Amino acid sequence: MEPITSDPCYSSWLEKSKSPSHSLFKEELVELYRRAGVASIFCSLPPKRVSPRAPMEIASANVICLQVSFCDLQEILPFSSSIGFCKHPLVSLATQRCRLSGEPCRLSVVVKCSLPSDPLLIRISISDTGVGSCLEEFQGLKFSRQSIGDEKWDGVLSVRTTGKCDNEVYHYQLNLKESASARRLTRLPSNPKNGVKFSGTEVILSMFESADALVAEINCFFQKNVAYELVVERGDAPGSQCEHVFLANESNPLSFSASNLECLKSGIEDYVLKHGYKKEHLKVGSGTAYCTEGHQNTGWMMDTVIAISEISEPISSCFRTSGAKSEVIYFKDFSPCSVSRSSMKALTSIDWRSFGLTLKSIANQGGYAFLDWEGLPPNTRIDIILHSYHKQAIMPSAKQETQLDRNLIKRAVKLALDDLKEKHAGVLLSAHALKIRSYAPDLAKTIAGLILSSNDSGFQGECFSLLGLQCQGVGGEIVEDCIKKKIISVIEMNDRKSHERSEDVAPFLFEDECLQELDFQEDEYEEGVGFVFLARLYMRFSQLDQLMLKPRILSMGVLESPAWLPTVYWQLEIEHGYSLS
Amino acid sequence: MGDLRKSSMRFFSDQNLCYADILPPSEIRARIEVAVLNFLRILASPTPAISDLPLINRRSSNCRTSKGLLAQVSCVFLSHSFCTRSLMRANTAKAFIRVWKVMEMCFGVLVQEKRVTQRELFYKLLCDSPDYFTSQLLVNRTIQDVVALLQCSRYSLGIMASSRGLVAGRLLLQEPNQEVVDCSECGLSGHAISGDLNRLETLILNTDARYIIVVEKHAIFQRLAEDRVFNQIPSILITAKGYPDIATRFLLHRLARAFPDLPILALVDWNPAGLAILCTFKFGSIGMGLEAYRYACNVKWLGLRGDDLEMIPEQSLVPLKPRDLQIAKSLMSSEVLQENYRRELEIMVQHGQRVEIEALYFHGYDYLGKYIAKKIVQANYI
C-alpha cells in the first residue's frame, strides 16, 4: 500500500492547502482519499451529523484545521490519556510542527481499515504540513505497556518527513518497543521531491482494533472536540446530537496573523452565538498572563477569555451547563486538557466578590471544572476558557512538563475580568459599587433640585453648560438624568480602577492646593488632618465678587498684629460681618 | 485705652481659628451655588470624580482653647482639621447625601426668604426623604455638617433657633419701636427668650441689677422667680431649662457685654452634668464649636459646690449614674477646665454621689433665696 505522501495528489494538495481559496480543495481531497481507500470515513460517521458539508468545509487561512474522525485514537493509540486523544504525543507533535512552520498548515488524521478482509486491522495516519520532523521528537517517546497491550500494536511507527529545503522525502521506521536506542531507528529509502517545495510529516501506525469500536467512540470524542474547535479555531467537526457545528465564518475570517488569544476569543464568540445568544448581549474579556520565575519570563503563558452572555428567554440549551454553572474549558498546548487540582485551587482562590460574583462551589467532573454561582441573574451565562502554552513551539517532553504556576491562572483570570469591566461599563460591578450606585438617583435628584430651585439664571445657565445641556426649556428630569448618568459612570470607572490604585483621594468640593494628605479611617466620621489657610478658603467665596468679603480677608491679616491694634474693630467685624461701615 | 481694657478683649493670635460667619441669605445662597458649581465642574471634568465634602472636624481632637490675655474669658474653638463625607464609602454614603439634601432644603428656604425651625425642617425632610432622615437628631447633626461645610452660622442658613430660654428679674427689654417689657413683672414663668437671633441682637437692654444668675433647672428658676429673689438681691435670672441653647447663650452674652460689671453666677446641681452646663455657658461647646465660641461668658460657679455638702442631709446624696461618670471623664480631659473645678469634679467622682439643688429645701422653701444671698455677699463663687 502506498503511503499517502508519495501520492502526487498529496503534494499538489499540500501546495493548495496553503492558499486561502479552496474551491477545488474539496474535490481534490475527496479524490485523494478515494484513492487511498478512505472514502469509508464518511460513512462511518454518525448519521445524525448535521451538515453534510461539514466534514469538507475547510476554514480559510487558518492555522490548523482538523480533519475528520480521528476520534477514538484515545482508545487505541498508545500512551493516550483519558481525556482527549489530543494529548497524544503524536498529534501534539504534529501540532507543534505546524506551529513552528508559521504558515497555515493542515493536520489530518485518518483511520481506515487496512484490509477489507480483516476489519480488525486498522491503519492510522497522522499527517501534517508543518515543518519537517527532527527525529529526536520521536526518540523521546516512551512506550507504556499499560496503555496498550503488546498484542494490539507492534510499537512500530512509520515516519515520512521532509523539510522545505530538503530534496527528498525521508522515510524512517521507529520501533518504540525497542529499548536499545541504537536499534530503534531504521532508515529506509527516500523519495525524491522532484523540485517541488513542501514540508510535511506523516506518521503511520497499524494496530488491531475493531473499526466498530472506533465508530462507537466517535460521539464521545466529538463532544470533546467541541472544545478543541475553539482552540483550533474554525476547524470543523461534524456535530454531535446538539448540532455543534463550526462552520468557517467566511464573513469574518481572521487574518493569519491573529494571535492565539484572538483566535480563542473568536472561537468562543462563535460558540456562544450559535446557541441563540445575540451579539449585542455578548460581552467578552480576555487577558494573557506570563509565567515568571524570578524576574524572567519562562515563556509559559496563559490566555484567558471570559464571555458573559444574556438572553431574554431561555432556550433549550445544548450546553453542558445551565446558566448558573460555568464550565471552565482548559487547554494546554492547543490540546484540551483536564483541569489539575492546583488549577481548581487557583480558581477557588480568585476574589470573585470584587467583581460582584459569588462562587458557591467548584466541582471537578470528568476532568472539567464547573463553577457554581450564587445569585447570578437568570438567563446569564459565563464561559471561561483557559489556554496555557509556551511562547515558542517546543517539543514536549516529560521533563518539560511544567507545573503550572497557580498564580498564573489567578492572574490570567483577573486580567480577563478586568478587561471585561474595562470594555463594558456596568458589568461585573463589585458589591460595593452596586451599593454606592444605588444612591446615585437620590444624589442626582437633590442636586438637580438645588439647581432648579434657584432664581439666579446665571447660576442655572452655568450649571447647564457644565452638564452639556441646552439652556432653554430644560426639564427637571433631563437635568436629573444627566447628573445621574455622570455619577454612575464615575462610580463604575472607580470600580474598574479600584484594583490598581490603592488610596486615591477624591477631590474636595472646595479644593485647595494647601490641603495636605489625609488619612482615612473606617468610621462614620473620617478624621483627616489638613491645614487650610482660612484666607485662601475665603478666596473661593470671594470669587463671587462679594465686596463685603474683602474687608474680612484684610482683617485676617490684622490678626497677626498685637492686641492693641483695633481688636475691638475686628471683633465687631466678625460678629456683624455684613453690617460694615 | 481704658475702654479697651474694660471690654473683654480677646486676643486670638493664631490663624487656626475656624469660625462660622453670620451672613445674609444672599451670601449663603452664593456659597451653596459655589458648592454646586464646583461639584458639577469636577463631575464633568476630563477626569471626573464625585467630590468629597470637607467638614471642619467637630471633635475634641480638633478643639483648641484660647485664653483671653487681658481678661477673664477663655473659650473653645475649632481649628482646621477636616473630616470628610464621601459618597464612595458605603457606610458614609448616606451621610454624604444627607448633607446635600439639607443644603437643598436650606437653599429653598433662603430663596423664599423664609425662616424655619429645626423641627419644621425635620418634618419636611422626613416627608421628602424618609430613607435618609429618621430622627430629629439626624437632622440636627446634618445641619451642623452643613454649618461645618459652608462655615456659616445655623441662623444664616435660615434656621431659627427655637429657644427654651427664660429670663426674669430686673431687666427691661425693648424691641425697636415696641413696648418695653419689664422682666420682673412676667410672673413666675418669666419672659421667653426669642429664638430669632436678629431680634435678640436689636433688643435694647436696661437694668439696675447687680448680678446675673444663670439657673440650670426650670423648677429652680420658677421658685426663685416666684419668690422674687431678684428684688431681694438685685439680679437678672436666666435659664435655658437644661443644656443651653444658642439663643439663651446669645442673650447672656449680650447682657455680659452690655453690663460688663455684672458678675455672672451659675446655680447648678452638684453633678458632672451641672458642671458641664456651666462650662458650656462659660467656654462654648465643641459640637457647635464654629459658632458657639462667640458666646462664651465669664460665668462663675456659685453653687452647689463641695463645701455646701455639709448643709445637705445624707439622704439627699444620690449615687452617680454611669452617664455622669462619662461626662465627668470628658470634662476632665478638657484642657480648658480650671484647677478648682477639676478638684470639685474629683470630689464628686470620689464620693460617687450627686446632689440636686432641691435638696436645700430641706431647710425650708425660702432657704434657697437665703443661700444665694449669703453666698453672693460672701463672694463665695469660683
Side-chain angles (χ1 to χ4, degrees):
Chain A
M1 179 185 48
E2 291 270 78
I4 272 180
T5 44
S6 62
D7 194 320
C9 206
Y10 181 70
S11 30
S12 80
W13 166 73
L14 278 183
E15 284 297 302
K16 287 235 169 54
S17 73
K18 289 166 192 172
S19 77
S21 73
H22 49 69
S23 45
L24 294 175
F25 221 358
K26 178 174 171 174
E27 282 68 42
E28 296 237 352
L29 202 57
V30 170
E31 180 60 20
L32 186 70
Y33 281 124
R34 187 189 65 73
R35 287 213 244 161
V38 292
S40 61
I41 281 178
F42 305 123
C43 305
S44 71
L45 289 169
K48 282 196 223 161
R49 180 161 34 95
V50 170
S51 165
R53 285 196 303 141
M56 295 311 301
E57 197 77 321
I58 295 157
S60 57
N62 278 308
V63 178
I64 297 172
C65 79
L66 284 177
Q67 189 59 341
V68 138
S69 74
F70 48 89
C71 41
D72 320 88
L73 301 173
Q74 64 187 20
E75 293 296 314
I76 53 175
L77 284 176
F79 22 93
S80 64
S81 71
S82 59
I83 282 203
F85 74 96
C86 301
K87 218 174 162 193
H88 187 291
L90 290 180
V91 173
S92 165
L93 291 177
T95 316
Q96 300 292 19
R97 286 194 295 269
C98 292
R99 280 181 71 196
L100 280 173
S101 80
E103 293 175 338
C105 293
R106 185 172 189 78
L107 180 119
S108 1
V109 180
V110 172
V111 175
K112 83 177 196 75
C113 306
S114 292
L115 303 166
S117 55
D118 184 356
L120 277 180
L121 181 65
I122 58 170
R123 180 172 164 279
I124 302 148
S125 150
I126 301 164
S127 52
D128 67 85
T129 62
V131 301
S133 161
C134 63
L135 292 170
E136 283 143 19
E137 54 185 345
F138 293 110
Q139 308 269 41
L141 290 176
K142 285 188 176 45
F143 175 62
S144 131
R145 287 199 152 75
Q146 277 90 30
S147 50
I148 187 157
D150 265 348
E151 64 285 355
K152 279 204 172 173
W153 181 49
D154 58 2
V156 175
L157 294 175
S158 167
V159 179
R160 279 177 201 271
T161 182
T162 181
K164 256 221 167 82
C165 308
D166 294 332
N167 292 327
E168 41 196 15
V169 179
Y170 303 105
H171 189 189
Y172 302 95
Q173 207 159 52
L174 222 68
N175 189 343
L176 293 181
K177 280 192 185 175
E178 188 71 51
S179 44
S181 55
R183 278 171 291 173
R184 287 190 115 189
L185 192 68
T186 317
R187 182 136 180 207
L188 298 174
S190 342
N191 295 93
K193 280 160 81 171
N194 300 326
V196 183
K197 272 204 175 337
F198 62 92
S199 66
T201 309
E202 188 187 21
V203 178
I204 297 171
L205 59 151
S206 300
M207 54 175 62
F208 284 101
E209 188 59 72
S210 146
D212 291 335
L214 291 187
V215 170
E217 296 299 325
I218 283 175
N219 289 344
C220 177
F221 164 67
F222 283 148
Q223 279 232 325
K224 293 174 185 126
N225 202 34
V226 166
Y228 203 150
E229 288 302 327
L230 293 170
V231 172
V232 181
E233 218 282 322
R234 294 148 181 206
D236 230 289
S240 62
Q241 303 91 303
C242 294
E243 309 190 0
H244 287 155
V245 178
F246 294 86
L247 298 181
N249 194 345
E250 270 142 3
S251 57
N252 179 24
L254 271 192
S255 74
F256 173 65
S257 57
S259 67
N260 292 325
L261 187 64
E262 278 166 36
C263 294
L264 204 63
K265 252 202 291 190
S266 165
I268 186 67
E269 280 175 14
D270 280 348
Y271 182 60
V272 171
L273 289 175
K274 273 163 176 96
H275 287 80
Y277 292 87
K278 302 236 181 324
K279 195 149 179 124
E280 51 267 17
H281 296 141
L282 181 65
K283 298 178 179 112
V284 177
S286 61
T288 304
Y290 298 90
C291 181
T292 52
E293 258 165 36
H295 296 288
Q296 289 251 324
N297 256 356
T298 58
W300 282 95
M301 44 206 268
M302 176 166 275
D303 286 343
T304 311
V305 178
I306 299 183
I308 299 182
S309 30
E310 295 153 19
I311 36 165
S312 41
E313 72 285 330
I315 48 171
S316 63
S317 180
C318 302
F319 288 111
R320 269 191 288 273
T321 60
S322 61
K325 276 193 179 187
S326 294
E327 182 185 351
V328 180
I329 304 172
Y330 189 55
F331 287 91
K332 191 161 176 193
D333 263 336
F334 297 90
S335 326
C337 182
S338 63
V339 63
S340 65
R341 195 181 304 162
S342 71
S343 310
M344 297 274 286
K345 273 204 194 131
L347 289 169
T348 321
S349 68
I350 291 171
D351 181 17
W352 298 103
R353 279 199 67 85
S354 66
F355 294 97
L357 294 169
T358 314
L359 184 64
K360 212 161 47 178
S361 63
I362 179 169
N364 185 338
Q365 282 162 26
Y368 294 93
F370 287 87
L371 304 176
D372 203 356
W373 304 108
E374 191 168 305
L376 205 63
N379 305 325
T380 303
R381 61 171 290 119
I382 303 177
D383 292 287
I384 303 174
I385 298 167
L386 305 167
H387 177 206
S388 80
Y389 56 98
H390 199 277
K391 208 166 46 165
Q392 276 129 28
I394 52 165
M395 297 305 157
S397 77
K399 291 178 210 138
Q400 276 173 332
E401 280 298 317
T402 332
Q403 266 290 31
L404 255 190
D405 185 15
R406 203 171 100 177
N407 283 330
L408 191 64
I409 294 189
K410 275 183 84 167
R411 274 185 285 135
V413 170
K414 193 175 170 306
L415 281 170
L417 288 168
D418 282 336
D419 184 52
L420 245 176
K421 272 180 91 153
E422 190 68 44
K423 290 212 197 96
H424 303 277
V427 153
L428 293 178
L429 281 181
S430 65
H432 173 260
L434 281 172
K435 179 139 197 264
I436 306 258
R437 197 171 70 166
S438 68
Y439 294 126
D442 289 327
L443 183 60
K445 183 159 165 242
T446 307
I447 298 197
L450 248 172
I451 299 172
L452 294 163
S453 65
S454 168
N455 51 13
D456 181 350
S457 57
F459 164 66
Q460 283 190 331
E462 204 180 331
C463 288
F464 291 150
S465 82
L466 279 171
L467 290 170
L469 295 169
Q470 295 299 327
C471 294
Q472 310 290 1
V474 175
E477 278 184 21
I478 298 175
V479 178
E480 196 181 316
D481 208 51
C482 177
I483 298 176
K484 186 171 72 169
K485 284 205 175 80
K486 287 196 192 295
I487 292 173
I488 287 179
S489 85
V490 169
I491 293 168
E492 288 174 357
M493 187 182 70
N494 280 358
D495 196 47
R496 285 201 289 274
K497 286 199 199 149
S498 66
H499 305 291
E500 289 151 26
R501 54 171 199 178
S502 46
E503 285 289 332
D504 218 16
V505 181
F508 277 133
L509 199 58
F510 304 118
E511 191 80 76
D512 198 289
E513 304 81 8
C514 277
L515 211 56
Q516 285 160 26
E517 55 156 67
L518 299 115
D519 298 315
F520 291 100
Q521 286 161 25
E522 288 303 314
D523 207 9
E524 245 285 332
Y525 264 93
E526 289 165 9
E527 284 200 42
V529 174
F531 289 94
V532 175
F533 291 101
L534 210 58
R536 285 232 205 166
L537 194 65
Y538 283 98
M539 293 283 219
R540 291 272 157 205
F541 295 133
S542 73
Q543 285 167 18
L544 309 165
D545 210 14
Q546 296 282 336
L547 288 172
M548 56 193 69
L549 276 177
K550 286 185 188 150
R552 172 159 288 119
I553 293 171
L554 281 179
S555 76
M556 289 297 288
V558 173
L559 275 178
E560 293 276 44
S561 37
W564 55 265
L565 271 183
T567 316
V568 176
Y569 165 76
W570 160 82
Q571 205 173 342
L572 275 175
E573 196 177 324
I574 295 293
E575 287 173 1
H576 307 278
Y578 54 90
S579 61
L580 276 184
S581 50
Chain B
M1 195 62 167
D3 288 26
L4 283 176
R5 235 188 304 133
K6 266 192 174 174
S7 70
S8 49
M9 249 183 10
R10 295 166 217 198
F11 176 47
F12 295 115
S13 61
D14 38 11
Q15 298 147 292
N16 287 343
L17 170 75
C18 253
Y19 56 88
D21 306 307
I22 304 174
L23 297 163
S26 58
E27 174 61 37
I28 304 300
R29 283 207 308 271
R31 288 193 184 185
I32 297 178
E33 284 170 3
V34 166
V36 173
L37 285 171
N38 279 353
F39 182 86
L40 290 178
R41 209 166 276 135
I42 293 169
L43 190 65
S45 72
T47 48
I50 298 169
S51 15
D52 291 343
L53 301 171
L55 313 174
I56 301 278
N57 214 343
R58 284 146 286 147
R59 284 196 147 170
S60 49
S61 49
N62 189 26
C63 168
R64 309 273 181 274
T65 50
S66 103
K67 298 220 167 26
L69 192 65
L70 292 175
Q72 318 82 354
V73 182
S74 317
C75 73
V76 145
F77 65 90
L78 296 178
S79 188
H80 295 271
S81 169
F82 287 87
C83 68
T84 41
R85 292 257 183 254
S86 171
L87 183 67
M88 303 314 265
R89 301 207 163 230
N91 52 353
T92 62
K94 267 195 163 173
F96 178 89
I97 296 187
R98 278 198 285 265
V99 176
W100 278 107
K101 283 198 176 283
V102 169
M103 267 208 288
E104 184 197 2
M105 202 61 84
C106 291
F107 191 75
V109 164
L110 292 170
V111 163
Q112 293 171 56
E113 296 183 359
K114 284 194 143 105
R115 293 210 175 279
V116 291
T117 60
Q118 284 191 149
R119 192 77 186 153
E120 285 173 325
L121 205 61
F122 165 58
Y123 276 106
K124 279 201 86 175
L125 290 165
L126 182 66
C127 297
D128 184 65
S129 327
D131 294 332
Y132 290 93
F133 297 97
T134 50
S135 69
Q136 179 73 58
L137 187 63
L138 217 49
V139 171
N140 297 355
R141 276 209 207 130
T142 314
I143 291 170
Q144 288 304 319
D145 280 354
V146 175
V147 163
L149 174 72
L150 301 177
Q151 300 204 13
C152 67
S153 71
R154 208 171 40 177
Y155 186 71
S156 313
L157 286 173
I159 299 172
M160 249 189 333
S162 58
S163 172
R164 288 191 308 268
L166 301 168
V167 67
R170 308 196 63 79
L171 179 68
L172 297 171
L173 301 169
Q174 188 191 17
E175 281 183 48
N177 307 320
Q178 299 276 325
E179 281 175 16
V180 177
V181 174
D182 183 357
C183 295
S184 60
E185 301 300 324
C186 294
L188 49 78
S189 41
H191 175 78
I193 299 174
S194 160
D196 189 337
L197 299 185
N198 251 356
R199 285 172 66 188
L200 290 178
E201 183 59 48
T202 57
L203 278 177
I204 301 163
L205 309 169
N206 270 303
T207 186
D208 62 357
R210 303 283 300 284
Y211 305 96
I212 301 173
I213 303 175
V214 177
V215 184
E216 178 189 346
K217 298 196 299 205
H218 187 199
I220 305 296
F221 178 89
Q222 281 186 312
R223 161 90 7 240
L224 293 173
E226 190 182 326
D227 292 349
R228 302 179 76 80
V229 160
F230 45 76
N231 286 334
Q232 297 157 25
I233 316 151
S235 53
I236 301 170
L237 298 174
I238 186 166
T239 183
K241 293 196 269 188
Y243 196 80
D245 60 287
I246 204 96
T248 310
R249 293 183 57 208
F250 185 90
L251 182 62
L252 182 65
H253 185 76
R254 268 220 69 197
L255 289 171
R257 273 186 304 131
F259 315 117
D261 287 333
L262 263 49
I264 306 172
L265 311 170
L267 190 62
V268 296
D269 286 343
W270 195 68
N271 62 18
L275 183 57
I277 287 171
L278 193 161
C279 289
T280 306
F281 277 112
K282 200 173 165 70
F283 306 121
S285 67
I286 298 174
M288 281 196 64
L290 286 169
E291 306 185 51
Y293 77 93
R294 323 188 145 100
Y295 311 124
C297 304
N298 189 3
V299 180
K300 299 205 188 344
W301 193 356
L302 183 70
L304 288 171
R305 296 208 315 274
D307 50 6
D308 298 326
L309 286 182
E310 52 197 29
M311 291 184 263
I312 310 284
E314 275 288 319
Q315 306 90 310
S316 305
L317 289 159
V318 180
L320 284 176
K321 294 202 194 113
R323 179 98 185 102
D324 293 320
L325 291 168
Q326 265 180 343
I327 299 173
K329 198 167 155 205
S330 91
L331 277 173
M332 288 285 212
S333 64
S334 162
E335 55 180 58
V336 80
L337 199 67
Q338 59 208 65
E339 200 40 55
N340 38 14
Y341 286 26
R342 219 174 269 274
R343 274 200 299 272
E344 291 276 341
L345 201 57
E346 273 162 22
I347 298 170
M348 264 186 230
V349 172
Q350 270 167 19
H351 279 213
Q353 290 168 320
R354 58 190 173 93
V355 183
E356 294 187 15
I357 300 175
E358 282 91 337
L360 291 173
Y361 291 151
F362 169 75
H363 300 281
Y365 287 115
D366 57 350
Y367 186 75
L368 188 57
K370 291 185 196 149
Y371 164 83
I372 294 171
K374 186 164 151 209
K375 280 210 127 170
I376 288 176
V377 158
Q378 289 173 343
N380 188 354
Y381 35 84
I382 53 173

